[in-house]
Amino acid sequence: MGLVVLIGVSGSGKSTFAARHFRPTQVVSSDFCRGLVSDDENDQSATGDAFELLHHIVGTRLRRGLLTVVDATNVQQRARAELVRIAKKHDVIATAIVLDVSESVARERNASRPDRDFGRHVIPRQHRELRRGVGKLNKEGFRRVHVLDGPAEIDSATVALERGWSDKRHLTGPFDIVGDVHGCRAELEELLSSLGYAIARDDQGRAVGAHHPEGRTAVFVGDLVDRGPDTPGVLRLVMGMVGADDALCVAGNHEDKLVRALKGRKAQARHGLAETLEQLGAESEEFRARVRAFCDGLLSHYVLDEGRLVVAHAGLKEEYHGRASGRVRSFALYGETTGETDEFGLPVRLPWAREYRGSAAVVYGHVPTPEPEWINNTICLDTGCVFGGRLTALRYPERELTAVAARRVHYEPVRPFPASGGGDGERSGASGDGRGAALIGIGDVLPDGPVGRIQTGFGTVSVPRENALAALEVMSRFAVDPRWLLYLPPTMPPAPTAADPGVLERPDEAFGSYLDQGIGRVICQEKHMGSRAVAVVCRDSAAAERRFVPGAEGAVFTRTGRAFFPDPQVEAAVLAELRAGITAAGLWERFGTDWIAFDGEMLPWSAKAEGLIREQYASVGAAARAALPAARQVLEAAAERGLDVADLAERTERRDRDIEAFSAVYRGYAWPTDGAAGLRYAPFQVLAAEGREFSAEDHLWHMGVAESLAEHCPMVLVTRHRTVDTTDPEATAAAAAWWRDLVAEGGEGMVVKPVGGPRATGARGLAQPGLKVRGPEYLRIIYGPDYLAPDRLATLRDRRLGRKRRMALNEHRLGLEALARHASGEPLWRVHQPVFGVLALESEAVDPRL
């Protein structure tokens, strides 16, 4: 990452040099830009526009972290100044490569090129400008300057790309990241020992290094010095570890001040610096020189583990990761402040971590905090050891915290340091993940352009902005607390339209659809006619407070994120029954968790849809029963008068039979409930538990867990199911017969899914999670009482299912991604992104009857 500026007179060979040593995409040529804006690379009147375009391209590439080479003469200081300014704006290093050839060589080369027909005065002028500026390039802001003298040196030169100083992505750990030590040598030795490091000592018994037998590397977040009782001892130990490649260390603001003091520069001897200088005064001159060189060589931050981990003393915003500038170093050492001070005279800091949206975990210190807490994939490890708190380390990638208590209060803080509440001795275990520590911003879910894209483990899902706006309205006004929303279920498409002209859906087409994808085994599950409900059940309020929302013990929500039960007491009673069943079934212990999330169906349908049944279905039946008898009487009277109304009478009789059949359907899915009494819950997927999600398990496993829960929880309803070999005609015929039995009993039908589970794949990638096959009678409440009339059925058979299937698969991808992000402890905004995407896709105009 960085900017390379080629400098040389016309004819010095810059374009040839660039083509030889860099990729074509890395080189931005002024001639090429001039051609883009004028169709003539030699049109000097277009130079202004050409360089405006060149600067734009350079800035865009540097913003994206790409090596960029500028091929132009760049002999004028003002031309170079603009390029250096762009490099500084994007916090990258600028390197100059000067191709210095004689005027005669340049003139000879230009004479052989017909496109270089300019006056003889140009080369001498460029040469004078080059001579005038070449000695000042470092002062202009170029970090590296390479001068190649003459054609021979230019032709023999090689270009090697170096890693950025902070780029340690090739180091993958494991790491033990240690918070601010501040001269607390005894606590540091204790912490390293508890982490498994063997401490090496010199002949005076002083710790001079530490090595981990399993090859772990310690990483210190800076502020090794000041305030504590033994800064030289801490430095001796850490310098030994770094020198032996057993540790890395970044600079802290206290090391920065110490270097200034050791160099004789102005530095106020406050906040422990005076004590450090006094302690170092008792050491040898050689040791002080080592300390000065060590602290002066510390970098602002490190990017580790292929970019997944960043360590900086005061933290670092994502746009600064891997970059180098005074601005980046200042942020890494001191953080970002408002410019104001608090009542203790200390700077008021901006909460950068609450706005952090990077994928890399950022580990830092600087600001003492009683308890480390993950906030948006960042964590502060300064737990105030020198103030009587603890010295804390984060084991990475395990994300486990280990801490030792301070021996005593070594230094009285300016601002009172709260009691940690951690007790004495070592403390291990993961802290909270910070899901509730930050709000979700509109920018996290609303795309800037017309279409947003969410990356999932199964490809990219596009979310139109207008759909996101509709989802924003729903999510902001009606949804439950987003901390509960670890998942929203996908829509489910129907099976392809049946080949039998007398029905719309039947199992044969579902089996055939999966067989076409190369899926040979499916599971057929009885389809319950209820309402989709996700239940997140916590073992107790402490689990809910730690992982989700304080003051609750779980949540039950609909597939659009709304609270399933308007009455919180009913929800609490449902959760209490499920919790008791989970406890009796031993599922807490089985999954090693204190919360479990299920996806299932809550019955009866009337529990959620009573108003819908009354207004949309019962009203139709009531109207028909009021109107049709009167119509029959009129037709009977007409027939008595000799009018031929036989066809109309027969149609009326058929309507009467259809409306009774229609009413019988919705009546079968309604029964009285009183609070939680009478409710039944049919879980068909275990979504997640602490640190785990279960989409890789097959559906027989999920059914087994549901059956185990049903044995101990009367509310839980077992879902009847059977597996089918889609390549076996007898097996598919038997399954079709079972479906006919289900619908004959008044059931809705069944759902066909790949046995392999939610992550099952077929010949075309991720498979449809399920296809619903609904019975002919049930479909009356979808398409109308008389939909089986031949003319109506013929029209309905032309259902366009493609869009529904695509939407279902995209929502399924998003659901799997949300579960994966939640299980891996990603920040709330990252989990909420795919959840929000599901709701946004639900805003598409797709026939709801499908």
Side-chain angles (χ1 to χ4, degrees):
M1 188 191 325
L3 176 67
V4 177
V5 178
L6 301 182
I7 304 173
V9 302
S10 178
S12 60
K14 297 182 299 301
S15 297
T16 302
F17 185 88
R20 180 186 304 149
H21 297 291
F22 301 99
R23 293 200 300 269
T25 55
Q26 295 173 329
V27 180
V28 186
S29 162
S30 59
D31 288 345
F32 178 72
C33 290
R34 192 179 288 111
L36 284 178
V37 300
S38 70
D39 288 336
D40 182 359
E41 293 188 355
N42 297 304
D43 183 358
Q44 297 302 310
S45 68
T47 296
D49 289 335
F51 274 91
E52 184 177 349
L53 174 61
L54 182 144
H55 294 152
H56 174 74
I57 296 173
V58 169
T60 301
R61 288 183 59 84
L62 295 182
R63 175 176 57 81
R64 295 177 60 83
L66 299 173
L67 178 66
T68 303
V69 181
V70 177
D71 175 13
T73 58
N74 295 313
V75 294
Q76 295 179 325
Q77 190 274 334
R78 64 176 181 273
R80 297 190 297 268
E82 179 61 18
L83 293 172
V84 171
R85 185 195 67 78
I86 295 172
K88 288 182 177 179
K89 176 183 177 181
H90 296 286
D91 304 293
V92 299
I93 290 174
T95 298
I97 301 179
V98 181
L99 279 61
D100 192 1
V101 301
S102 65
E103 289 185 35
S104 61
V105 170
R107 190 177 299 112
E108 180 182 346
R109 289 176 175 176
N110 283 316
S112 65
R113 295 177 57 179
D115 59 343
R116 295 298 173 93
D117 184 19
F118 43 70
R120 294 180 59 85
H121 67 285
V122 173
I123 297 300
R125 176 175 56 78
Q126 291 180 348
H127 209 268
R128 288 194 301 272
E129 290 173 331
L130 176 64
R131 284 278 172 268
R132 203 161 39 237
V134 72
K136 304 175 183 177
L137 293 175
N138 289 114
K139 293 182 179 179
E140 290 179 12
F142 289 99
R143 190 71 62 88
R144 297 266 184 91
V145 177
H146 305 280
V147 179
L148 303 178
D149 190 6
E153 193 167 308
I154 293 170
D155 292 342
S156 64
T158 59
V159 174
L161 299 184
E162 297 178 332
R163 290 183 179 273
W165 296 328
S166 61
D167 183 359
K168 300 290 184 183
R169 286 176 293 181
H170 60 289
L171 301 180
T172 57
F175 301 108
D176 298 305
I177 309 167
V178 181
D180 300 39
V181 181
H182 279 303
C184 300
R185 177 197 50 78
E187 289 87 344
L188 176 58
E189 290 186 24
E190 182 184 351
L191 178 63
L192 290 173
S193 296
S194 71
L195 290 167
Y197 288 80
I199 297 177
R201 301 185 184 276
D202 62 12
D203 55 6
Q204 299 180 48
R206 300 177 300 187
V208 294
H211 175 77
H212 199 286
E214 297 175 4
R216 299 181 72 90
T217 301
V219 184
F220 295 91
V221 303
D223 275 8
L224 304 172
V225 305
D226 294 351
R227 294 176 175 156
D230 193 0
T231 285
V234 171
L235 288 167
R236 187 176 289 108
L237 172 55
V238 174
M239 288 191 300
M241 293 179 70
V242 172
D245 292 330
D246 287 317
L248 299 168
C249 183
V250 298
N253 59 300
H254 283 263
E255 282 81 34
D256 190 54
K257 287 179 60 179
L258 176 60
V259 169
R260 293 204 304 271
L262 292 176
K263 289 182 175 181
R265 296 175 183 170
K266 184 177 180 181
Q268 293 183 337
R270 301 168 53 200
H271 304 302
L273 178 58
E275 289 82 353
T276 292
L277 294 174
E278 181 181 351
Q279 293 169 16
L280 288 174
E283 300 290 333
S284 67
E285 180 60 36
E286 177 189 3
F287 182 79
R288 287 195 294 274
R290 283 181 58 207
V291 167
R292 171 179 160 176
F294 173 76
C295 293
D296 199 21
L298 294 177
L299 300 182
S300 64
H301 70 287
Y302 282 121
V303 180
L304 302 161
D305 191 22
E306 299 180 349
R308 289 186 283 263
L309 173 65
V310 172
V311 179
H313 175 63
L316 205 62
K317 296 190 290 188
E318 183 181 23
E319 55 264 38
Y320 291 165
H321 293 180
R323 297 182 183 259
S325 69
R327 174 170 55 181
V328 171
R329 184 173 179 85
S330 176
F331 192 105
L333 266 61
Y334 294 93
E336 195 172 32
T337 65
T338 64
E340 303 170 326
T341 56
D342 62 16
E343 66 269 29
F344 303 102
L346 298 175
V348 177
R349 306 187 187 281
L350 291 171
W352 68 272
R354 297 183 182 276
E355 300 174 359
Y356 180 72
R357 294 298 184 261
S359 58
V362 179
V363 184
Y364 62 104
H366 190 52
V367 180
T369 181
E371 293 288 342
E373 181 184 17
W374 283 102
I375 298 176
N376 289 330
N377 211 18
T378 76
I379 189 170
C380 177
L381 296 182
D382 184 358
T383 46
C385 180
V386 75
F387 301 138
R390 293 172 307 193
L391 184 60
T392 298
L394 172 72
R395 301 180 74 239
Y396 177 94
E398 300 87 346
R399 294 200 176 205
E400 296 173 355
L401 294 170
T402 298
V404 297
R407 302 292 176 90
R408 60 184 178 84
V409 176
H410 299 289
Y411 194 90
E412 291 293 341
V414 175
R415 180 193 291 118
F417 182 71
S420 66
D424 296 327
E426 184 177 315
R427 174 183 175 271
S428 299
S431 179
D433 67 358
R435 292 180 191 277
L439 296 175
I440 302 166
I442 287 178
D444 296 327
V445 294
L446 199 62
D448 294 330
V451 177
R453 291 174 175 82
I454 302 175
Q455 301 294 330
T456 78
F458 292 93
T460 302
V461 177
S462 298
V463 179
R465 181 179 173 86
E466 60 266 25
N467 295 76
L469 286 168
L472 189 65
E473 172 79 2
V474 174
M475 193 68 78
S476 299
R477 297 183 60 194
F478 306 114
V480 299
D481 190 309
R483 289 172 287 185
W484 290 117
L485 296 176
L486 75 168
Y487 176 82
L488 285 182
T491 188
M492 185 177 296
T497 302
D500 181 350
V503 294
L504 276 180
E505 298 172 12
R506 63 177 187 175
D508 306 69
E509 281 69 26
F511 299 146
S513 178
Y514 281 119
L515 185 58
D516 288 344
Q517 298 180 56
I519 296 173
R521 291 187 69 222
V522 297
I523 183 171
C524 300
Q525 296 175 342
E526 171 188 10
K527 191 172 191 313
H528 301 289
M529 184 50 190
S531 301
R532 195 75 170 263
V534 174
V536 183
V537 188
C538 296
R539 191 170 193 168
D540 49 37
S541 57
E545 181 171 2
R546 177 187 63 81
R547 199 62 161 113
F548 296 101
V549 179
E553 293 188 353
V556 183
F557 52 86
T558 69
R559 60 181 306 269
T560 56
R562 293 168 165 86
F564 192 95
F565 300 104
D567 186 347
Q569 293 184 344
V570 176
E571 180 182 61
V574 170
L575 291 169
E577 285 203 42
L578 293 174
R579 184 179 304 110
I582 292 169
T583 302
L587 297 185
W588 305 124
E589 295 75 17
R590 177 177 172 181
F591 299 137
T593 187
D594 54 6
W595 64 271
I596 301 176
F598 297 99
D599 186 10
E601 200 85 1
M602 188 71 71
L603 288 79
W605 186 36
S606 54
K608 182 65 181 171
E610 183 177 357
L612 178 69
I613 293 172
R614 182 174 57 251
E615 296 167 13
Q616 184 166 318
Y617 298 104
S619 59
V620 172
R625 280 186 290 276
L628 290 175
R632 280 199 304 271
Q633 291 178 5
V634 171
L635 291 170
E636 288 171 359
E640 289 176 358
R641 293 200 303 273
L643 296 176
D644 184 8
V645 293
D647 288 345
L648 186 56
E650 195 274 330
R651 287 204 305 273
T652 304
E653 288 296 327
R654 188 170 65 245
R655 285 183 175 180
D656 192 44
R657 293 192 300 270
D658 287 343
I659 205 67
E660 288 306 317
F662 170 82
S663 299
V665 175
Y666 66 76
R667 287 170 182 160
Y669 305 133
W671 61 76
T673 59
D674 182 11
L679 293 176
R680 306 295 300 277
Y681 186 55
F684 43 76
Q685 185 178 341
V686 188
L687 294 172
E690 180 60 34
R692 302 174 65 185
E693 56 92 13
F694 302 99
S695 61
E697 302 290 346
D698 65 37
H699 281 297
L700 292 175
W701 180 90
H702 288 278
M703 288 290 93
V705 174
E707 289 166 358
S708 173
L709 180 59
E711 292 177 4
H712 300 87
C713 183
M715 175 179 283
V716 172
L717 181 66
V718 173
T719 299
R720 291 178 287 179
H721 61 276
R722 60 172 57 195
T723 59
V724 179
D725 181 349
T726 59
T727 66
D728 183 352
E730 292 185 4
T732 56
W738 183 63
W739 170 77
R740 288 191 292 272
D741 291 340
L742 289 176
V743 298
E745 294 172 4
E748 179 182 345
M750 70 183 185
V751 178
V752 183
K753 304 175 180 178
V755 168
R759 287 183 176 265
T761 56
R764 295 185 290 276
L766 189 67
Q768 283 286 351
L771 296 173
K772 56 190 177 184
V773 186
R774 298 165 291 184
E777 291 303 311
Y778 169 80
L779 287 174
R780 290 182 187 275
I781 66 172
I782 303 298
Y783 294 112
D786 58 345
Y787 89 99
L788 283 172
D791 55 336
R792 288 216 56 212
L793 193 58
T795 301
L796 290 172
R797 289 178 60 78
D798 187 26
R799 301 182 299 173
R800 301 183 185 277
L801 301 178
R803 191 172 182 185
K804 178 78 168 182
R805 291 171 69 98
R806 288 192 299 272
M807 186 170 76
L809 202 52
N810 279 331
E811 291 181 8
H812 182 46
R813 291 186 177 103
L814 293 171
L816 293 177
E817 181 66 17
L819 291 175
R821 292 182 182 185
H822 193 276
S824 61
E826 295 200 31
L828 173 63
W829 73 271
R830 285 271 298 163
V831 176
H832 194 67
Q833 228 176 27
V835 170
F836 187 91
V838 172
L839 188 59
L841 293 184
E842 281 295 303
S843 303
E844 287 192 32
V846 177
D847 189 342
R849 298 175 301 177
L850 298 179

